[in-house]
Each structure stands twice: as structure tokens, then as C-alpha cells.
Amino acid sequence: MYEPSSAIKGKQAVFEAHPENAAVKALADLATDAKFDRNELTITVARESIVGACEAVKQAGYNFFEDATAVDWYPSEPRFQITYHILSMSRKERVRLIVRLDSDSASLDSITPVWRAANFYEREIFDLFGVHFGGHPNLRRIMMPEDWKGHPLRKDYPVEGYR
Amino acid sequence: MASTVEELTGPSAIDPGVEDVVSNSAHNRGNPPSQDQTMVINMGPQHPSTHGVLRLVIEVDGETIVGLAPDIGYLHTGIEKTCEAKFYQQVVPLTDRIDYLCPMTNNLAYCLAVEKLLGLEIPERAQYLRVLFNELTRIQSHLVWLGTHAMDIGALTVFLYCFREREQLLRIFEAVSGQRMMTSYVRVGGLSLEPPRDLYAKIREFLKDFPSKIEEYEGLLQGNPIWMNRLKGVGYLSPEDAIALGVTGPPLRASGVDFDVRRDMPYSGYEKFQFNVPVSNVGDVWARYIVRMQEFRESIKICLQALDGLPEGSIVADAPKIILPNREQMKTQMESLIHHFKIVTEGFGVPAGEATSSVEAPHGMMNYYVVSDGTAKPYRVHMRNPGFATLQALETMCKGRLLADVVAVIGSIDIVLGEIDR
């Protein structure tokens, strides 16, 4: 069974435990927090530095963008957690990048200049969570009808809908 | 740089029409269309060759495609939202319905993520059976792909032959799980049922006959000049574009990128199996056809190894607070009755945290990202489905080709709209 004590938490602790990890090396300056839990590396970066962080891990060999999604921690703040999964096909490793956003400033830069594959995923987050991506080439709803009100995956949106 | 909400909520960001879709596809190309020469064609959502309800807005110059924008969401059922309202074990039947051609792969991907959160050890027998049924699912899914792909191009006979073999597989799934398609066979902690003893002989019989059936399909298609002309050189995708656009699975390997989750990041005991990963450097529709035909043969090899090496033992992990007891124990032992009652009425708590599982589905890499807040219901479930990302590459593959090639390209990327729209 899972032992909560096995998780390594905090930037300092993770960076000391895994100094050889390519993502750890690449994000030494940009990371604000880190976690190594269940054999998965999670690195938190600031909202302003997400494009820089993606470029840094891409340089370090994490060549494949897997997905981006969000988690709504309503009613606590910072409310939105944007999660990116980046894979290195040569190292066979994955790194999870996280950006936390307050509900009154739910916007960040698009990473489509780094990975074109992020296009649909960012549209999906915009559609279902209402988080805005600056510099996205085509930020429109993707799943819901264009005239839909609200963002269904937010926690304050009822499961049965409003109707 | 960092944009504010106000900057982004202009009318153009929320109120588009067909014109916006097209002008956007022109924007992606970087050069505006010359207004008096191109025509916009709407393909779908009700179109038999789009394999569901996919709408494509295609801009053509004569018959040559100069822009293409997929419009999805017609099958959106909010599965991710529904998951948040269910117990962990109740999510399994929902996952069947995401990619309805490979329900067992979806079950497995979800269960692997939850098992990672729980830290469960899965017995070897269950792992082997998971591999066995996943590979049978891959064969089944590829059969649907081959049949519909050939039918789209005009070879109607192959469809009937493929569904003849698929029927045998669906009967095997029915024998093992009670359901032909929505199996829900893989459960958190193991499998739902022990397969009937005589089933292994039936699977072996199927696997023994199947290579001759593959030759039968190839006899109908491979040397056929119409088939070759429709496939060869069509829908080229370079390896750089494939990686940049998030393409996975057979289309990625047909573009020359040698990556297979089963071999490179093994899960559920795949490291114990010997198999080749078919790769082609050609990158066109034909290469994707060849790669999938080879995958049929590799899947047979894996299935046979799983049958030969199938260990004895339990099919569920030793975790009575998470896995339902069997009927016999529940009726005779007080402890088991209590566990049964608690699991059914309250679910089971999962330690807080987040986990990602990654499996090689028939259509590509399928990831499940599950976030737990410590309660009996998942806080967030996100699926990374291969078709969603592969669809982004459709424009790159179709641009500069004829309108009729769109059908061949859609068939070759093997999309299932259920997994794209979720």
C-alpha cells in the first residue's frame, strides 16, 4: 500500500534527491516548488515563466508534449492548477509541470509556440475551465456549443447542469 | 507576454462562425486565401467516412485542399465531469464508453492510475490476463479499422471478412466478462472474473486460425492496384511534425519514430514479453496500413506468450478493503460481508495525490491523470486520448492533396470520436 511518508516534498529536498534528473537540472532557476511522489516528478513554476520552463525542458530532451489539463481547487486559492505532462522519448521519462493561478487572474501564456500540439488542449481548458491563454492562435470553445454559458468542469458548476 | 482576461475576452474570442474557422485555418498557413478562387466545403458531422460525428471545414482550390479545420464536440458527454461524482469503482464502466473500440485498454489505463495512487501490487496472473485481453482488444480494434478503412476506399468485401473475425473476439469477451463491447473487465486491484477454463482453448484456436485470415485480407488488398494508388504517397507526415503535433501510436511509428509505450515504458508486466515494434520510414497512408498489419502479427505473438506463461494464483490483489469479496466469502464470513457493505455504500478512500498512467492503446498513447483529495470519489480524472492529438495533424497531412484523399487519411489515423469528444 502507498506510504505517504515516501513522498519527497519541497524544491530543496527533491533537487537534492534527484540531482541527475534532466528536468531538475533544466529548471533549477525557474522552479518554485517540487514533489517526487509515486515515482513521478512534479515541478511547479510561476505563471510568468511557463513558456521559459517548457523551452528549458525541451532543450533538456523532453521532446514530446503529452497533454495539458487543469484542476479546479474551488473554493481554496490559488484556485486553478494547470498541469502539463511532458515526455522524453529518449530518456523514457516524464515530467509534470504545474502552474497555479488565482481565480481573479485566471490567464497565462500559451505554450503553442513551443509545442503546436498544445493547441487543442489549451482550447479544451479554456472551454471547460475558463482559463485564458495569451498568444493562442485560435482560442475558442472546442467541446461545448459556442453559445454555452459557464465552464462545466469548474467545481461550482453542478454535475446535472443548470437546466 | 502575460495576458489579462480583459484582453482575451473580445467578441472574436467567443463568437465565431464558419468564416472564423476558415480564416483561422488560413491564419495557420500564414498566407491569406485569394478570395475569388477558393471554395469552402462542409464535410460532416453526418458523413459515413468521418467515423462518427466529426465536422471538417475544408477550403479547396479546385479539388486541392488549401485549408482544413476540424470541428469537434458533437459527441461530448461530459465523462470527466461525471467521473467526479462517482466512486472510484463506479468510474470503470464510464471508461468503457470513451473509446468504445478498446474498452479493456481504457479500463486498464484508469485502473493503473488508481492502483498507482493506492500503491497496490497486482498479482502476476492478473497482469498476464490483462496483457492477453489487451492484445485481443488491439486485434479487435485494428479489425474495425481495416474493415472501415477499406470500405471508405471502396473495397467493401474486406469489411465483411474483418467483422467475421471480430465476431469471434466479441464472443470471447462475452464469455469472459458477460459483455460484448462494454466489458468493464479490468477492475481496480485486478480483474472482475476468472475466465472460464475452456476459454483458453477457444482463444488458442482463434490465434491459430488468425494468421491465415490476415493473409486473406492482404490477398484482397495488398496487390490491388486501386488500393495501392489510393494509399501510396497520400497523407505524408514527417517525423518532426508527428512529434510536434502530438501524434502517437501507429501513425507515429509509420512516420519513422520508434516509440511504443509497451516496450519503452512497460506497464502491467509487458517487460516479460518478446515482441517487435513495427516501424516504417515512409510516413504515408500506406505505411500506416503496413504498420498496423504487422501489429496484428505481433499481438498474436504476445497473446500466445501470455497463454503459455499464464501463472496460477489469484486474479485480484490482497486488499479486502478495496476489492469486493467473492460471493461465497460474502455469504459465509462476517468480515467479508462488512467489507462488501462498506465498499458498495461508501466506496474506498484513496490517499491524496496525483498519478498518471500511460498505456499503448490500439490508436496510440492513452494516459489517465487522476487526482485524489483523499475521499472515495476522484477529485479530477483527465484522459489523454490519442485521437484528440492526432486530429491536429489532419491539416498537415491533407494540405495540398485532393479532396478525395481526406477520406483515406481519416481512415489511416483511425480516430474514434467517442475518445476525442469524451
Side-chain angles (χ1 to χ4, degrees):
Chain A
M1 298 301 279
Y2 172 69
E3 271 301 321
S5 58
S6 66
I8 307 172
K9 282 182 181 157
K11 183 183 172 184
Q12 188 84 23
V14 172
F15 281 42
E16 275 168 16
H18 298 275
E20 291 306 309
N21 187 293
V24 164
K25 277 188 197 163
L27 295 176
D29 299 331
L30 292 173
T32 56
D33 192 9
K35 185 175 76 169
F36 191 83
D37 188 15
R38 299 168 168 102
N39 277 323
E40 291 178 355
L41 177 66
T42 310
I43 295 179
T44 310
V45 296
R47 168 186 168 203
E48 294 74 29
S49 53
I50 181 62
V51 177
C54 286
E55 272 162 1
V57 292
K58 197 178 182 186
Q59 286 288 317
Y62 289 81
N63 62 334
F64 191 82
F65 171 86
E66 287 186 305
D67 67 351
T69 186
V71 184
D72 182 7
W73 291 104
Y74 180 81
S76 59
E77 291 285 345
R79 178 170 175 180
F80 295 106
Q81 168 192 333
I82 313 291
T83 308
Y84 302 85
H85 287 103
I86 320 280
L87 177 78
S88 166
M89 284 181 169
S90 51
R91 288 175 211 279
K92 303 171 183 27
E93 274 176 359
R94 176 176 290 126
V95 63
R96 181 185 292 133
L97 299 180
I98 281 181
V99 179
R100 291 184 192 279
L101 302 171
D102 288 326
S103 54
D104 56 351
S105 60
S107 68
L108 74 166
D109 285 342
S110 167
I111 62 157
T112 44
V114 189
W115 283 289
R116 278 187 282 159
N119 187 326
F120 274 20
Y121 290 95
E122 289 180 347
R123 277 179 71 187
E124 192 188 358
I125 298 171
F126 165 72
D127 185 359
L128 303 176
F129 287 92
V131 174
H132 293 254
F133 290 88
H136 190 284
N138 181 24
L139 196 68
R140 293 190 298 113
R141 285 191 183 271
I142 188 166
M143 298 294 184
M144 306 305 287
E146 297 292 352
D147 55 353
W148 195 263
K149 298 272 188 295
H151 303 285
L153 277 179
R154 287 189 172 191
K155 286 284 175 184
D156 51 358
Y157 190 99
V159 179
E160 322 83 58
Y162 283 118
R163 277 178 288 184
Chain B
M1 292 304 288
S3 308
T4 60
V5 180
E6 284 77 16
E7 276 171 28
L8 284 156
T9 46
S12 62
I14 45 174
D15 184 34
V18 174
E19 291 79 8
D20 277 19
V21 175
V22 175
S23 65
N24 175 62
S25 67
H27 169 85
N28 285 346
R29 291 200 320 278
N31 54 321
S34 45
Q35 292 297 322
D36 52 346
Q37 283 185 352
T38 59
M39 186 166 81
V40 174
I41 290 180
N42 185 51
M43 183 175 171
Q46 269 77 33
H47 189 287
S49 298
T50 53
H51 297 244
V53 279
L54 169 68
R55 174 170 172 247
L56 297 172
V57 181
I58 306 171
E59 191 188 352
V60 286
D61 179 2
E63 275 218 55
T64 312
I65 295 163
V66 291
L68 182 149
D71 182 13
I72 61 173
Y74 291 91
L75 223 55
H76 182 63
T77 49
I79 286 180
E80 291 181 12
K81 183 79 174 175
T82 316
C83 290
E84 292 170 12
K86 303 277 179 193
F87 292 137
Y88 278 94
Q89 72 269 31
Q90 290 175 317
V91 173
V92 174
L94 291 173
T95 63
D96 288 328
R97 283 146 180 87
I98 293 166
D99 187 345
Y100 38 78
L101 291 183
C102 55
M104 299 240 200
T105 320
N106 281 280
N107 296 163
L108 177 65
Y110 169 72
C111 291
L112 285 174
V114 178
E115 283 155 11
K116 203 179 211 179
L117 281 169
L118 287 163
L120 276 187
E121 283 287 324
I122 306 303
E124 208 170 33
R125 182 177 175 80
Q127 290 195 356
Y128 268 67
L129 286 170
R130 283 174 171 195
V131 168
L132 171 65
F133 286 107
N134 259 282
E135 292 306 317
L136 290 176
T137 305
R138 189 182 314 280
I139 294 176
Q140 187 260 128
S141 173
H142 279 11
L143 280 172
V144 176
W145 156 76
L146 182 63
T148 52
H149 186 31
M151 191 165 67
D152 288 347
I153 289 178
L156 295 178
T157 323
V158 186
F159 181 77
L160 300 173
Y161 285 18
C162 289
F163 272 59
R164 180 187 63 189
E165 272 71 70
R166 181 171 182 254
E167 181 61 31
Q168 287 178 285
L169 282 171
L170 291 183
R171 288 197 180 144
I172 289 170
F173 295 155
E174 189 180 9
V176 76
S177 70
Q179 287 280 334
R180 285 158 61 84
M181 277 181 77
M182 304 302 156
T183 51
S184 299
Y185 182 57
V186 181
R187 301 284 170 88
V188 175
L191 302 168
S192 63
L193 293 161
E194 177 73 44
R197 283 281 156 187
D198 62 337
L199 188 74
Y200 301 117
K202 277 187 195 151
I203 298 174
R204 273 185 196 280
E205 200 181 330
F206 172 80
L207 294 172
K208 189 162 153 278
D209 287 348
F210 193 57
S212 66
K213 303 283 166 54
I214 302 173
E215 280 163 25
E216 205 173 347
Y217 311 142
E218 287 180 343
L220 284 165
L221 294 172
Q222 206 118 310
N224 185 331
I226 304 173
W227 180 252
M228 287 199 280
N229 284 338
R230 287 299 303 274
L231 263 58
K232 282 192 176 171
V234 175
Y236 175 72
L237 187 67
S238 69
E240 295 78 26
D241 278 343
I243 289 177
L245 291 164
V247 176
T248 49
L252 180 72
R253 293 190 285 275
S255 287
V257 182
D258 190 5
F259 185 80
D260 187 315
V261 186
R262 290 175 292 171
R263 182 198 61 196
D264 295 325
M265 302 170 88
Y267 54 91
S268 192
Y270 263 109
E271 65 275 5
K272 294 174 202 132
F273 294 85
Q274 306 291 320
F275 59 98
N276 300 318
V277 176
V279 179
S280 164
N281 290 318
V282 185
D284 59 359
V285 176
W286 177 262
R288 285 168 220 142
Y289 160 74
I290 295 290
V291 164
R292 286 206 183 87
M293 292 310 271
Q294 291 302 321
E295 284 193 355
F296 273 135
R297 299 190 164 91
E298 298 304 322
S299 290
I300 296 173
K301 270 163 58 180
I302 299 171
C303 288
L304 286 172
Q305 289 172 44
L307 283 170
D308 290 339
L310 188 64
E312 289 298 319
S314 170
I315 55 161
V316 288
D318 179 24
K321 288 188 196 314
I322 290 161
I323 294 147
L324 283 180
N326 65 34
R327 236 34 215 170
E328 175 72 28
Q329 285 171 345
M330 194 195 98
K331 299 276 185 193
T332 51
Q333 294 170 19
M334 194 59 205
E335 278 279 285
S336 296
L337 183 64
I338 294 168
H339 286 142
H340 185 276
F341 184 78
K342 296 270 276 184
I343 293 169
V344 171
T345 55
E346 295 171 7
F348 52 83
V350 170
E354 51 198 340
T356 307
S357 68
S358 181
V359 305
E360 184 74 27
H363 309 124
M365 181 163 65
M366 180 186 285
N367 294 5
Y368 270 63
Y369 171 59
V370 181
V371 180
S372 169
D373 59 348
T375 60
K377 292 176 181 173
Y379 192 78
R380 173 94 175 94
V381 182
H382 174 76
M383 306 96 186
R384 185 241 190 250
N385 289 104
F388 190 68
T390 311
L391 202 57
Q392 299 186 79
L394 194 62
E395 193 189 13
T396 312
M397 287 190 262
C398 291
K399 213 184 288 173
R401 303 293 313 182
L402 297 180
L403 188 58
D405 292 336
V406 175
V407 171
V409 173
I410 292 176
S412 77
I413 58 175
D414 192 15
I415 49 169
V416 170
L417 268 294
E419 61 160 9
I420 291 169
D421 294 345
R422 298 189 293 277

